[in-house]
Amino acid sequence: MNRDRKQQKKNAEWKKESLKYCSRIRTAARTYLVLTPRRASAVVVALSSNGRSGERKVKAAMESTLKEKRDGASVLDMDPKSTVGGGVEDTYGEDSATEDQLVTPWTYSVASGYTLLRDPRHNKGLAFTEKERDAHYLRGLLPPTFVSQELQERKLMKNLRQYEVPLQRYVAMMDLMERNERLFYKLLIDNVEELLPVVYTPTVGEACQKYGSIFRRPQGLYISLKEKGKILEVLKNWPEKSIQVIVVTDGERILGLGDLGCQGMGIPVGKLALYTALGGIRPSSCLPITIDVGTNNEQLLNDEFYIGLRQKRATGQEYDELLHEFMYAVKQQYGEKVIVQFEDFANHNAFELLAKYGTTHLVFNDDIQGTASVVLAGLVAALKLVGGTLPDHTFLFLGAGEAGTGIAELIALEMSKQSKAPLEETRKKIWLVDSKGLIVSSRKESLQYFKKPWAHEHEPAKTLLEAVKAIKPTVLIGSSGVGKTFTKEVVEAMTSINEKPVILALSNPTSQSECTAEEAYTWSKGRAIFASGSPFDPVEYDGKVIVPGQSNNAYIFPGLGLGLIISGAIRVHDDMLLAASEALAAQVTQENFDRGLLYPPFSNIRKISARIAAGVAAKAYELGVATRLPRPENLLKLAESCMYSPSYRNYR
Ligand SMILES: O=C([O-])CC(=O)C(=O)O
Ligand SMILES: [Mg+2]
């Protein structure tokens, strides 16, 4: 008892001390972890620092305080390069503190000993060294053996491979994330091609469908209609104060699976895991959010395990007000340089939110813009295989929603840049089919506004097959969210028109893919240049193994995000998406082409992301929306050096 009180007093003194330093050095937030000899009494203090020099001052101040007060206390990760979390902000941390943080730095307890083992951000399991076990009160809490991170990784991969059901692998990976974050990212980074389909598309789709049943511990933040008027308070409940990326969904259009309401949370969680693993953004600065305004999914409303609000979706003013409060609470809490990635909103809201907040916030819609950027990169690569320039080709889309119109617009923009023709002209090379058939001018009156630019003069066509025969496209793109719509007849029609038909089946997950890789290759007699949103295994056709590419926005958003962060960009511009697309296309090697691949393998993704980041950042400076000044000379080097490393830290 007595000891505890003493410890509390000591903590209070430290807090006072750090407050003093904070107000003296008025700068950006920096986290130091101080472990005291007693468990349950470590203190994390967010201090201010003004870039490197301010940071050094704070560090020196903290160290001298600790020397005086130490009494056996130890400091976790005092080296700025290896401060808790590591990553981007460690190198470029200026200006990330809010005024609120400067005046009242926050503190919370992270315990040594037993509690340290249960803290996923710092737990290393059997990889704690003898010295660490002594220093951090872990003696007896672990079996005697020491296991390196590499051996832990091998063991976990072996265990994962024994699960036959993909969802079991997903649950095992999420458990690992909750238990030992660095090990989770080490696994994901080192085995990215194998584990991407587990934590991301397609398995994450099934996970969302069954989220209520597999729910163990909450991940991310849930903001429901109940929190209206209190969203800023909700944001303050999140333990991390320095957030760089938010992925938010309202669950209305989860992949091609439709309205999954609150259970859409799997998507922001999965996307942000990729921000870290593929783009090197540190996990502590990533925040997954689900906005729950109800669901129109009857099955979920009647499911006893459903985790969301049991009501029909709020729409109109009620919806708009909640989203508006959210957007401004985010800006107030995290500043104007936090990236808000809209994910899997239904069409009407997706377009409106992007238009509404695109000029006031650093927002980006992955389904409209990220997908467009990755597809354009794939098309540039495809042209090397089929010949001609972009303006030489004719495009037909099945699906005229976010992805379809987003991709169409970026292609038209790029064509216009290449051919110097006005956008209105280049759009005419692009045709869209929706559920009512080919979009033509006679339908213009009844079309939603985002479809109108694509209503060209033509006879109506009721079905996709009719449209293929009438338009004679060289490229067919599926973005409908409806599986099995590229039928044998459609693929055969494409093959009869083109020597090498380009066919992209983009809808996710695998069940919603417009056709499988095998179908595309078989029906086109091995001639199709094919890629899909969800992964497919290599296909053997006519004695030849063909590896299908994966045209998924996961190639783009992690690098795009990194580029926005290292440049301190305050807006996303279409030219940045073109820059991201160009950078990705430039990574496709001759060897990839020789194998018919439109994208480089995901195993190189960190290098690819760094190049995308450098391209995006360069564009941000060119456009004058970068705020990190002066412009660093070598953006690629900066991007690479900023990336989060999942290797364990030494806790001295
Ligand atoms: O999540 C994915 O795999 C790609 C995507 O954004 C979507 O399909 O909505
Ligand atoms: Mg999406």
Side-chain angles (χ1 to χ4, degrees), residues 327 342 352-364 570-573:
M327 291 306 294
F342 294 119
E352 265 181 49
L353 289 168
L354 192 59
K356 194 161 168 190
Y357 298 107
T359 52
T360 52
H361 290 66
L362 182 62
V363 294
F364 155 68
I570 50 162
R571 295 289 175 270
V572 176
H573 190 282

Side-chain angles (χ1 to χ4, degrees), residues 249-264:
T249 188
D250 72 354
E252 191 168 1
R253 194 236 75 189
I254 294 299
L255 308 175
L257 300 170
D259 185 353
L260 298 184
C262 194
Q263 303 199 158

Side-chain angles (χ1 to χ4, degrees), residues 291-351:
I291 302 215
D292 185 353
V293 295
T295 178
N296 296 339
N297 183 328
E298 284 299 328
Q299 205 182 333
L300 286 180
L301 287 172
N302 294 319
D303 178 351
E304 60 177 330
F305 301 130
Y306 181 55
I307 58 169
L309 288 182
R310 275 169 210 275
Q311 65 167 75
K312 290 263 178 224
R313 278 189 178 273
T315 56
Q317 194 181 348
E318 197 181 3
Y319 180 91
D320 295 345
E321 281 175 8
L322 193 75
L323 267 289
H324 201 68
E325 184 188 340
F326 167 71
M327 291 306 294
Y328 280 89
V330 160
K331 204 165 173 176
Q332 188 173 345
Q333 178 71 357
Y334 304 120
E336 65 173 346
K337 278 181 271 177
V338 60
I339 303 166
V340 178
Q341 173 168 322
F342 294 119
E343 193 70 50
D344 293 6
F345 283 76
N347 287 328
H348 50 284
N349 290 324
F351 287 111

